[in-house]
Amino acid sequence: MTNQNATAVAASAPAFRALHTPGSPLVLPNAWDVASARIVRVAGARAVATTSAGLAWALGTADGDRLTRERALTAVAAIVDAVDVPVTADIESGYARDAAGVADTVRAVVDAGAVGVNIEDSRRGAGEPLRPLAEQSERIAAARKAADAAGVELFVNARVDTYLRGVGDGPDARVALTLERAAAFLAVGADGVFVPGAVDPVTVQALVEGIDGPVNVMAGPGAPTVAELAALGVARVSVGSGIAQAAHALVREAATELLTEGTYGTLAGGLDYAELNELFGG
């Protein structure tokens, strides 16, 4: 990254951080490529967040720590170059086996021009579904240290997958475990806590009250509205791979209609060709 780009990233990071306001949340319709990022921006997004799943699918790879760091960050850099607002990157568990590797990934994120990251605490393969607390804390701390050394106030969003992975024996135990992990991650340098899968208002309220930092909720069909989440004190609302999934469902529906019925009704309501072309300077 050039000195000019580094200066621009360092300058935009505090502005992105300031968007995380409890009660007036940052709303992020997650993107997965340049086209979706530009569409999201034109729709009025104040920042762009990537979805690791959507990005992996677009690159022909399954989600779940299968994409390489190089391919992922090349895509993130293209998204950064395509929009005029801050970009935060979902980097799964850090595209690395250990804390040192997470630090390398964060340096690459900064080089790509992003000003935020999501780092999840899920563990793939056999064994417990979540990384041990000490190990994940070390990974979060490494991310913080690498960003600080680069001179960028990178927003580290620590993802706690207790609800996504169904960890904890009952609702009260799950809340307590989530709060324990959230506190540990904030203590070592995380800026916010992301708890996907937690959308019940009572649960969200408990998390907001118990976490000493901005809380990110992943919303979707059946979840409270943004206004309702704002009233609970949520500081960030995202939709993960939801938009990508909806887009791919439309592709399947249109293809199936064409191949089975020989009709084109699904194509009605598509974005205008000229409008889309204009997004790319056409």
Side-chain angles (χ1 to χ4, degrees), residues 4 9 36 44 118 124 136 142 157 160 189 199 217 221 250 256 261:
Q4 182 177 2
V9 172
S36 59
N118 285 358
R124 312 294 175 185
Q136 185 64 13
N157 205 27
V160 180
V199 293
V217 168
L250 178 62
T256 300
E261 305 296 330

Side-chain angles (χ1 to χ4, degrees), residues 17-51:
R17 180 184 298 272
L19 294 174
H20 295 76
T21 306
S24 181
L26 170 62
V27 180
L28 296 169
N30 300 74
W32 59 93
D33 61 9
V34 167
S36 59
R38 287 194 171 175
I39 291 168
V40 163
R41 173 62 184 125
V42 169
R46 294 181 291 170
V48 170
T50 67
T51 157

Side-chain angles (χ1 to χ4, degrees), residues 162-268:
T162 44
Y163 286 85
L164 202 62
R165 302 297 296 274
V167 182
D169 187 17
D172 291 343
R174 190 165 296 168
V175 168
L177 179 60
T178 303
L179 295 181
E180 177 190 9
R181 296 179 76 86
F185 300 156
L186 289 169
V188 296
D191 299 289
V193 176
F194 179 26
V195 190
V199 293
D200 172 72
V202 173
T203 300
V204 173
Q205 182 90 62
L207 295 176
V208 168
E209 292 176 354
I211 293 173
D212 188 21
V215 174
N216 180 184
V217 168
M218 185 172 72
T225 66
V226 170
E228 290 168 337
L229 291 171
L232 294 172
V234 171
R236 175 165 161 174
V237 179
S238 52
V239 293
S241 60
I243 297 176
Q245 289 174 251
H248 296 318
L250 178 62
V251 172
R252 182 173 67 180
E253 183 181 356
T256 300
E257 180 192 4
L258 178 62
L259 294 169
T260 60
E261 305 296 330
T263 55
Y264 328 102
T266 309
L267 302 181

Side-chain angles (χ1 to χ4, degrees), residues 94-110:
Y95 300 122
R97 292 183 178 272
D98 55 22
V102 173
D104 289 339
T105 297
V106 166
R107 283 187 282 270
V109 166
V110 172

